[in-house]
């Protein structure tokens, strides 16, 4: 990790920001099971340079090392991903179809496979990885503690980080449970610098035993994964978004 400032006070602040982020990472990775509800906003730059936000809500349930269920419901898509350690199901509820593939491995490996092989990007998913600190600090050149903030009535430490392609901020709950409460990614390489915002609404550590069992709606059609319609959270043809870190 590099820093670009030679100011001793700034360097101390960099260290404080890393320490707080590491505390969050250690706390998150120590949770064997998680159930998180969230809201997300993704900005799109329209042809006339107008910023439009598309908003979704959802839930993520995780049982380490190899079970994951994630939902995302917005104005354009209603999608569910279920992984039981052996089978991956992508359930396109508004399209009334679903696809399944064998995908043995861990939930973390699944996130990489979805992103690299199938183009399914889940901004903010890195927050749940066991190596979240190393992943988030990759390519960081500046880090700072901005101060305090309040998210849904909860006092948080507000941190800001910079890399060449993105700036990102995170608000971490102060105290004994350093939970990530808000996460903002700003894409500097795209004109007008669109942002992706993730807000954690609820954070629990208990998950129902049957949470990762998929039961298909009998009215839905099973198809090949490659035949699924677009499941992105913005309409087709809209590509200039602030969701990449």
């Amino acid at each position: 990790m590099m820093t670009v400032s030679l100011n001793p006070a700034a360097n101390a602040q960099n260290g404080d920001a890393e320490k707080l982020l590491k505390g969050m990472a250690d706390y998150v990775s120590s949770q064997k099971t998680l159930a998180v509800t969230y809201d997300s906003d993704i900005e799109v730059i329209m042809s006339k340079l107008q910023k439009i936000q598309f908003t979704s809500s959802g839930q993520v349930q995780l049982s380490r090392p190899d079970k994951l269920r994630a939902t995302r419901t917005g104005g354009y898509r209603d999608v569910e991903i279920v992984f039981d350690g052996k089978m991956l199901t992508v359930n396109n509820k508004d399209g009334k179809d679903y696809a399944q593939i064998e995908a043995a491995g861990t939930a973390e490996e699944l996130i990489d496979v979805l992103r690299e092989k199938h183009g399914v990007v889940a901004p903010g998913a890195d927050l749940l990885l066991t190596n979240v600190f190393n992943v988030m600090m990759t390519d960081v050149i500046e880090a700072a503690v901005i101060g305090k903030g309040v998210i849904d009535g909860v006092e948080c430490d507000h941190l800001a980080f910079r890399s060449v392609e993105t700036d990102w901020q995170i608000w971490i709950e102060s105290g004994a449970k350093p939970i990530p409460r808000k996460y903002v990614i700003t894409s500097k390489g795209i004109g007008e610098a669109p942002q992706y915002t993730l807000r954690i609404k609820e954070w629990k550590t208990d998950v129902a035993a049957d949470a990762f069992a998929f039961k298909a709606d009998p009215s839905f059609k099973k198809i090949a994964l490659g035949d699924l319609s677009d499941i992105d959270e913005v309409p087709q043809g809209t590509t200039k978004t602030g969701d990449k870190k």
Side-chain angles (χ1 to χ4, degrees):
M1 202 284 287
M2 302 186 302
T3 60
V4 298
S5 174
L6 300 178
N7 184 300
N11 286 333
Q13 196 175 45
N14 287 343
D16 290 342
E18 290 182 45
K19 183 178 179 180
L20 288 166
L21 186 68
K22 184 64 163 61
M24 180 216 75
D26 290 345
Y27 180 80
V28 170
S29 62
S30 71
Q31 310 302 307
K32 181 173 176 54
T33 58
L34 288 172
V36 176
T37 60
Y38 69 89
D39 293 334
S40 65
D41 302 318
I42 187 166
E43 286 188 345
V44 172
I45 310 302
M46 307 302 283
S47 58
K48 295 183 179 180
L49 302 183
Q50 180 184 17
K51 278 188 178 183
I52 298 295
Q53 285 191 344
F54 295 91
T55 301
S56 301
S57 293
Q59 183 182 52
V60 176
Q61 294 171 289
L62 172 68
S63 179
R64 304 187 197 278
D66 61 355
K67 292 178 176 58
L68 176 72
R69 190 182 201 107
T71 66
R72 187 187 73 235
T73 304
Y76 294 88
R77 301 288 180 268
D78 188 356
V79 179
E80 176 184 44
I81 293 174
V82 184
F83 176 59
D84 63 4
K86 297 179 180 179
M87 184 75 68
L88 166 67
T89 301
V90 181
N91 191 22
N92 183 18
K93 295 181 180 180
D94 50 354
K96 294 189 175 182
D97 51 31
Y98 68 97
Q100 291 182 311
I101 59 170
E102 293 184 1
T106 67
E108 297 185 14
E109 290 169 342
L110 174 70
I111 291 172
D112 290 336
V113 168
L114 287 173
R115 178 172 48 224
E116 296 172 7
K117 291 188 177 181
H118 303 292
V120 179
V121 179
D126 291 344
L127 291 174
L128 302 180
L129 301 178
T130 53
N131 63 339
V132 55
F133 179 78
N134 292 334
V135 170
M136 296 185 76
M137 289 300 295
T138 300
D139 300 327
V140 166
I141 56 176
E142 284 189 58
V145 179
I146 303 302
K148 294 289 186 178
V150 176
I151 308 295
D152 290 333
V154 177
E155 184 179 82
C156 300
D157 292 299
H158 179 192
L159 316 179
F161 298 82
R162 308 201 76 188
S163 67
V164 174
E165 295 185 354
T166 63
D167 290 343
W168 54 277
Q169 302 172 71
I170 190 166
W171 287 257
I172 299 171
E173 182 172 331
S174 302
K177 296 181 179 180
I179 296 166
R181 289 291 180 180
K182 184 178 177 181
Y183 182 42
V184 177
I185 305 169
T186 303
S187 298
K188 297 188 292 186
I190 299 175
E192 307 302 314
Q195 293 183 326
Y196 175 85
T197 301
L198 177 72
R199 294 178 301 280
I200 304 297
K201 309 296 291 182
E202 189 176 46
W203 183 285
K204 296 181 178 180
T205 55
D206 56 322
V207 177
D210 61 351
F212 309 100
F214 176 73
K215 183 178 290 187
D217 186 313
S219 67
F220 284 23
K221 180 181 179 181
K222 185 176 181 180
I223 61 176
L225 184 61
D227 293 334
L228 275 177
S229 58
D230 180 29
I231 59 172
D232 201 354
E233 57 189 304
V234 298
Q236 289 186 353
T238 313
T239 58
K240 294 184 177 180
T241 59
D243 64 346
K244 305 296 189 294
K245 179 183 179 300

